[in-house]
Amino acid sequence: MPKLKTHRGAAKRFRRTASGFKHRKAFRNHILTKKAQKRKRQLRGLDDVAAADVPALREMLPKKAR
């Protein structure tokens, strides 16, 4: 059986952790002047991936966490 290849698009967007996957929050790229400081502050960091999306990510990112 051949090796499984990593989905490169998913690899750039998601990080595998010991407990699951994390992703960057949306709406923090541009047009930031009209967004409140509180909203921008809360959009920092990483967030957990929804449980429904984890099986698809396991197929796309078959290798262990870095």
Side-chain angles (χ1 to χ4, degrees):
M1 184 132 176
K3 289 182 179 179
L4 292 172
K5 288 197 173 185
T6 298
H7 188 290
R8 298 313 297 164
K12 294 167 188 174
R13 290 170 173 82
F14 301 97
R15 294 283 167 263
R16 178 172 264 207
T17 62
S19 59
F21 294 91
K22 290 195 173 279
H23 70 94
R24 195 172 145 223
K25 294 177 192 159
F27 307 110
R28 184 94 202 286
N29 289 322
H30 59 103
I31 316 175
L32 297 172
T33 52
K34 65 172 78 169
K35 294 173 185 157
Q37 279 300 117
K38 179 181 178 181
R39 183 174 169 194
K40 289 187 280 189
R41 188 168 56 246
Q42 289 173 338
L43 290 173
R44 280 184 209 152
L46 301 175
D47 206 5
D48 293 328
V49 170
D53 297 326
V54 170
L57 279 174
R58 282 205 184 110
E59 283 185 32
M60 289 191 270
L61 303 171
K63 297 179 180 157
K64 63 182 182 181
R66 289 186 201 180

